[in-house]
Amino acid sequence: MNKNLQIVFDYHERTKHSHQRYAKSLGYMDWATQPDPFREYKGAKQILLPIALKNPTPPYSLLDEELPDAPLLKESLSQLLQFSLGIAAWKSSDGNSWAVRCNASSGNLHPTESYLVLPPMMGSEKSTVMHYAPKEHTLEQLAVFSTNFWQGLPQESFLLGLSSIPWREAWKYGERAFRYTQLDAGHAYNALAVSAKLLGWKLTRIDSLSDAQIEKLFGLSQKERFFEEEIADMLFIVSKKSCNPLHDFTSLLKDLPQQYEGIANRLSPSMHEWEIIPRVAAATAERSKALPLIHQACSVKRAPTKEAKEVILKRRSIHVMDKEESRISAEQFHTLLNAAICSQDGRVNAAHLLLFVHRVAEYKQGLYILVREESALHELQKEFKEEFLWQKTSYKNLYLLEIEDYTEASKIISCNQAIASDGAFSLGMLCRYAEELLECDAHRYKELYWECGAIGQQLYLEATSLGLSGTGIGCFLDDLVHKQILGMKNNSYQSLYHFTIGRGYVDNRIQTQQAYKRG
């Protein structure tokens, strides 16, 4: 086994939660060093984006239909960003206020940043590198340069990328934080994909660049401009047609300027160093093998809904479920599963949904599994307890494993959080793990979390569209799921993210204010 894979396997074991201990963290909130949730570049030229609230959007129910494509303009670019990575609302209570964004984040800490590489537009005769600043809904211009790179792409294409600031998560969650930064990147990925669909645009995730090359593109490799470490995650081509994930970026990288404008703001006066996080980040930075595209575009049939922007802007993480009101219909359950089974980017589905069903009409309480990649069925049956039923249900690829009341067990698994037991159902995203990494590389570890985060974001939106509530659960007892619930004897599969859906209580003490005061 190579060194990078060993680092990943060691990190994953070291950051598991259990009854005996939680993953290492400070164990308290050091409020004096709480990171600023908004990155800005001092000295960079700012471009104010128009607020897109008045822009009509298709009904959310038409999300997977072929929608007319919008031209690449300042206004369409603004809509893409606002309805994916922008602020959905400001909340306030007892004199404190905080922003809620369209893309979900563990602890509302938002480690994910976004960058764009644009062709000549918005008054610029040259290409530009921009940073998106959601607080004021602006673009910050970091570089201006000339390039012929765009000639090899469909007309009106541009690049959009995501990065992570691990310190924002490590401040609260300690060593487990790297997991959460990658889940959040997955949430942002799906939020962008949904927002792009509303404009008739395609999002192609690029496999041909290393993290170091993406960092060069964003300007993150110029370390003197940063106090806190910021690492590259993903790069996309955004266009009206799907592109090649292995597109050649040699000419673009060659044309970039040596020095970018703007100095990144310091997010905290000081930081606690977690040595394992930069170590696992470095280990997962190189991709040696790209996964082939095997799926066609996936379409979900939905009942008529409100405008998509209303669903996107109303998405929230719920802290308390209303147990008495959380029973849902089989039809709602199937709609949620339909949305979760789709592969976002056409690559193989590594994650399967282990479902703890509590209050779903026509379904017995018990443990179920949704097999998202049919070819994995035999392997899953081999790894799990022999006594499981594997009884097929009326929903394709959904199997009943055990008839049992799992309300208390799901709560215990989820670090004793009642939201896992008081909703209609909760779930764990069970990923093919050890062999998957051995067959691919250490970079695949990040990609597994992106897949889980993307599923989580889709479940948030789908639940909101149905008048339900959802919450991602990053705190769970890893091996209690693997060994006691499923009876697995090795790390062939690992649960990487948990989620719950039901009806949430609305806390009327918290006031909601509009996201942006300008129209």
Side-chain angles (χ1 to χ4, degrees):
M1 185 188 304
N2 69 41
K3 179 183 175 183
N4 287 337
L5 277 174
Q6 190 61 60
I7 290 171
V8 167
F9 286 133
D10 290 348
Y11 170 80
H12 193 71
E13 288 300 313
R14 175 170 165 168
T15 57
K16 286 181 174 180
H17 289 328
S18 70
H19 279 308
Q20 289 73 39
R21 62 159 185 84
Y22 279 3
K24 192 174 181 181
S25 68
L26 285 181
Y28 64 92
M29 299 290 202
D30 182 7
W31 297 111
T33 62
Q34 182 180 13
D36 188 334
F38 297 106
R39 165 74 87 209
E40 62 183 45
Y41 282 88
K42 296 176 181 177
K45 175 185 175 182
Q46 292 193 341
I47 298 172
L48 203 63
L49 294 173
I51 302 301
L53 287 177
K54 293 181 181 178
N55 294 8
T57 56
Y60 181 79
S61 52
L62 298 182
L63 182 65
D64 295 322
E65 302 295 326
E66 282 293 329
L67 298 172
D69 53 73
L72 177 57
L73 302 168
K74 188 177 184 179
E75 290 75 15
S76 53
L77 194 61
S78 172
Q79 178 178 310
L80 173 72
L81 295 168
Q82 186 177 344
F83 295 156
S84 58
L85 306 175
I87 296 173
W90 282 90
K91 298 285 187 176
S92 62
S93 179
D94 296 327
N96 297 313
S97 63
W98 61 96
V100 177
R101 301 196 204 180
C102 295
N103 57 309
S105 168
S106 48
N108 200 33
L109 296 171
H110 290 283
T112 307
E113 296 292 329
S114 57
Y115 295 82
L116 300 94
V117 185
L118 301 174
M121 61 178 294
M122 295 189 297
S124 175
E125 295 180 358
K126 295 184 177 181
S127 297
T128 53
V129 178
M130 302 280 193
H131 169 254
Y132 175 56
K135 186 175 184 180
E136 302 297 337
H137 193 50
T138 59
L139 291 175
E140 297 176 310
Q141 184 174 287
L142 306 180
V144 180
F145 63 103
S146 298
T147 182
N148 294 321
F149 170 75
W150 306 110
Q151 295 176 6
L153 290 174
Q155 193 173 5
E156 296 193 326
S157 297
F158 64 97
L159 306 181
L160 197 156
L162 300 174
S163 64
S164 293
I165 304 173
W167 167 240
R168 284 205 183 116
E169 292 287 343
W171 168 76
K172 180 177 181 180
Y173 296 114
E175 290 190 343
R176 197 170 165 102
F178 185 75
R179 297 182 179 212
Y180 298 158
T181 64
Q182 299 311 303
L183 283 174
D184 280 9
H187 279 288
Y189 176 10
N190 182 270
L192 281 164
V194 168
S195 192
K197 284 180 182 180
L198 302 181
L199 293 159
W201 294 349
K202 312 289 186 186
L203 211 63
T204 302
R205 198 181 87 205
I206 296 304
D207 290 331
S208 54
L209 293 179
S210 68
D211 287 11
Q213 289 172 315
I214 299 175
E215 286 174 5
K216 179 182 179 183
L217 188 59
F218 297 168
L220 304 180
S221 56
Q222 298 166 26
K223 301 298 184 183
E224 68 279 5
R225 300 168 58 237
F226 299 86
F227 178 71
E228 296 87 1
E229 184 79 6
E230 187 172 337
I231 60 174
D233 289 322
M234 290 174 252
L235 182 69
F236 309 101
I237 298 173
V238 187
S239 57
K240 297 176 183 180
K241 299 177 183 177
S242 295
C243 297
N244 181 4
L246 297 175
H247 189 83
D248 186 2
F249 284 78
T250 304
S251 66
L252 178 64
L253 293 170
K254 197 178 296 182
D255 292 335
L256 294 173
Q258 291 295 313
Q259 190 65 33
Y260 283 26
E261 298 298 318
I263 303 296
N265 61 322
R266 186 166 177 165
L267 305 179
S268 296
S270 62
M271 293 186 296
H272 182 90
E273 298 293 338
W274 298 99
E275 177 272 336
I276 190 64
I277 292 179
R279 193 165 177 235
V280 72
T284 54
E286 285 288 340
R287 181 192 287 105
S288 61
K289 183 179 179 181
L291 292 175
L293 302 184
I294 63 170
H295 292 298
Q296 299 297 318
C298 194
S299 180
V300 178
K301 300 298 181 185
R302 301 174 173 91
T305 61
K306 297 177 180 178
E307 274 194 64
K309 67 181 178 185
E310 291 189 47
V311 174
I312 290 168
L313 294 172
K314 287 181 180 176
R315 183 218 61 81
R316 299 287 186 273
S317 295
I318 294 297
H319 300 291
V320 180
M321 289 288 185
D322 187 340
K323 184 163 53 176
E324 302 305 318
E325 297 294 328
S326 280
R327 188 171 180 80
I328 66 172
S329 68
E331 184 181 9
Q332 289 173 316
F333 186 49
H334 294 164
T335 299
L336 290 158
L337 297 184
N338 286 342
I341 205 167
C342 288
S343 169
Q344 183 58 260
D345 55 17
R347 294 170 175 85
V348 64
N349 293 324
H352 311 282
L353 305 189
L354 183 69
L355 296 141
F356 304 92
V357 173
H358 310 315
R359 300 171 185 87
V360 178
E362 303 175 32
Y363 279 85
K364 295 175 182 177
Q365 279 191 319
L367 184 67
Y368 296 73
I369 188 166
L370 178 66
V371 181
R372 292 179 67 246
E373 195 69 46
E374 229 172 328
S375 60
L377 177 61
H378 178 70
E379 188 176 50
L380 288 163
Q381 289 173 324
K382 185 179 70 175
E383 296 294 340
F384 290 2
K385 290 178 181 177
E386 289 184 8
E387 58 266 34
F388 280 160
L389 300 172
W390 288 99
Q391 180 180 315
K392 289 194 76 170
T393 69
S394 61
Y395 185 87
K396 183 184 178 184
N397 293 343
L398 178 66
Y399 297 85
L400 171 62
L401 299 179
E402 187 175 42
I403 300 170
E404 185 69 53
D405 183 347
Y406 268 91
T407 50
E408 186 61 25
S410 62
K411 177 182 176 180
I412 292 169
I413 287 166
S414 300
C415 300
N416 216 35
Q417 297 177 82
I419 52 171
S421 59
D422 290 351
F425 66 95
S426 61
L427 61 91
M429 300 181 195
L430 194 69
C431 289
R432 186 172 187 265
Y433 178 70
E435 292 300 320
E436 187 80 12
L437 297 186
L438 288 167
E439 289 171 10
C440 297
D441 52 31
H443 190 274
R444 183 76 178 125
Y445 186 64
K446 292 172 59 163
E447 294 172 3
L448 293 178
Y449 277 100
W450 298 347
E451 181 178 336
C452 291
I455 294 170
Q457 181 73 15
Q458 193 63 49
L459 286 172
Y460 266 121
L461 294 175
E462 218 63 43
T464 305
S465 75
L466 293 170
L468 302 171
S469 309
T471 295
I473 302 173
C475 185
F476 55 89
L477 309 183
D478 301 59
D479 284 339
L480 186 59
V481 179
H482 308 139
K483 297 176 181 178
Q484 294 190 35
I485 299 296
L486 297 175
M488 292 195 299
K489 296 178 175 60
N490 54 45
N491 285 354
S492 56
Y493 284 84
Q494 296 283 278
S495 190
L496 302 187
Y497 190 25
H498 284 221
F499 207 89
T500 181
I501 289 177
R503 295 188 192 276
Y505 280 111
V506 176
D507 190 340
N508 293 320
R509 296 171 300 175
I510 299 177
Q511 296 180 327
T512 301
Q513 298 159 348
Q514 65 187 61
Y516 301 104
K517 293 182 179 177
R518 56 192 174 89

